[in-house]
Structures are given as C-alpha cells and as structure tokens.
Amino acid sequence: MTSHHVDIRVVPDPETTAAQLLGALYDRLHLALVQQRIENIGVSFPGYSTTPRSLGIVLRLHGSEAGLCGFLQEDWLKGLRDHVRLTEIEPAPEGAPQRTVQRRQFKTNVERLRRRRMRRKGESEQQAQQAIPQTVERRPNLPYLHLRSRSTGQPFCLFIALGPLTETTTPGPFNSHGLSSASTIPWF
C-alpha cells in the first residue's frame, strides 16, 4: 500500500549536475531494493516533464509508513548524504489521483539492430541494411536516467513513462527499480 511518501531532493554543485546526482541516487536505490528484496516501495518524479525532457530534482518514494521507515533506516545513501535532502515521511494527500510509473524500452539504434541481426542471422552488412532501413529508428521523447548495468557494466538509458491518471488504486509489487506497469502510486 502506497499510503505514505518521502521526497529526496538532489542538491547539485558546480562539479555535478542534478541529472548526474539523480542517476547516482537512483542507482543506489535500485541496489538497496535488490539487496533488501523489497517489492513494496514505488517511485515517482514530481518534476517529470516531456517538454523539456526532465525528471526534475526530486525522487519520491511511495510505500507504507512502516515500510519507508524501515527502508530509510538502512544506510543506502552512504556517500550521497551531502548531495541530498530528505523530507519527513508523510501521508499521501487524500483523494490524490493514481497512476503507474513504468519503464519503457525502445529499439532506437539502427546500427545496433543491424549488428545484432548480422550476428544472429549471419548476414552481411548490406543484407542487414536492406532488412533494417533507417526509418525504423525511434526517437523517444521521454525523460530518462543515465545508468550503468550492474551485470554487464554497459551504460543504458532508463526511460520513464507515466500511465494515465485514474481514481482507482491498484496495489501490487514494484520491480527492483521501484516501477510497475500495473501497481499505482498517488500522483501529486
């Protein structure tokens, strides 16, 4: 149940941008959710905007009061404390609309798609170019976090999409990024 929330605001400095700090904060959050095997904390970004593309400077954690309190007692913010400010755990506003906050994945890079096809199907570069035209490339207009995969070490963009606003609360688990395509969080 996402009855409560806590806001974590990143505080940029001359050497580190807000986007870099938000990425580092989110990476730490992901690691803590995995290590503690937590599925009852969801996230949102109150500063979310597609024009301009931005997640803002606040990461909001949603969950029960006890769940958030227990999670925040762990020292998962170690090394970032100078760059973040936390609010108190507070109840979500009554009657706030609900929505999902989820990951969206795109096959955006035509060259990568062609290389993959050449590797998997044993095709030549020319065959892959004919099979995958430049027009298949999609350029998402969603805000994202720039992260690094813990398993492969490769950088990637975690695109964040919002579901439609609804009056209905849909409880359920969140993934190790605090996201869900089905479970809702209060949106305010």
Side-chain angles (χ1 to χ4, degrees):
M1 177 63 105
T2 57
S3 59
H4 287 71
H5 75 280
V6 62
D7 288 353
I8 306 173
R9 178 180 304 274
V10 296
V11 181
D13 62 30
E15 297 173 2
T16 315
T17 67
Q20 290 170 320
L21 287 171
L22 191 62
L25 172 62
Y26 197 80
D27 188 51
R28 292 279 175 87
L29 171 71
H30 168 61
L31 183 59
L33 291 173
V34 168
Q35 288 175 339
Q36 297 178 42
R37 295 188 174 113
I38 293 177
E39 294 181 341
N40 61 353
I41 291 181
V43 302
S44 69
F45 302 89
Y48 185 98
S49 171
T50 55
T51 53
R53 258 190 330 188
S54 173
L55 292 171
I57 61 169
V58 175
L59 172 63
R60 181 171 287 159
L61 305 182
H62 300 267
S64 68
E65 184 175 19
L68 290 171
C69 189
F71 182 66
L72 293 175
Q73 286 178 350
E74 297 295 321
D75 196 21
W76 64 276
L77 286 171
K78 186 177 181 179
L80 281 177
R81 291 227 179 252
D82 290 344
H83 297 285
V84 298
R85 304 292 179 266
L86 280 76
T87 64
E88 296 294 321
I89 297 172
E90 298 176 358
E94 295 235 0
Q98 302 282 315
R99 77 175 350 147
T100 58
V101 179
Q102 56 195 310
R103 179 180 186 179
R104 287 287 309 274
Q105 290 182 279
F106 298 91
K107 294 181 178 179
T108 56
N109 187 304
V110 171
E111 291 305 317
R112 188 184 69 224
L113 293 172
R114 289 175 181 161
R115 284 192 306 271
R116 183 182 299 153
R117 184 177 177 102
M118 289 166 43
R119 195 173 50 247
R120 289 184 178 169
K121 297 196 175 212
E123 295 180 345
S124 70
E125 188 173 343
Q126 185 177 9
Q127 290 170 316
Q129 286 174 352
Q130 289 174 348
I132 302 176
Q134 195 69 31
T135 57
V136 302
E137 185 166 286
R138 294 180 60 196
R139 299 209 181 263
N141 190 30
L142 295 174
Y144 62 91
L145 291 158
H146 198 269
L147 303 173
R148 186 167 295 277
S149 169
R150 293 213 175 255
S151 57
T152 66
Q154 296 294 317
F156 70 98
C157 294
L158 180 75
F159 290 95
I160 306 291
L162 302 179
L165 290 172
T166 179
E167 299 296 318
T168 308
T169 301
T170 306
F174 295 93
N175 67 18
S176 63
H177 285 101
L179 304 171
S180 175
S181 60
S183 304
T184 60
I185 51 95
W187 185 258
F188 55 96

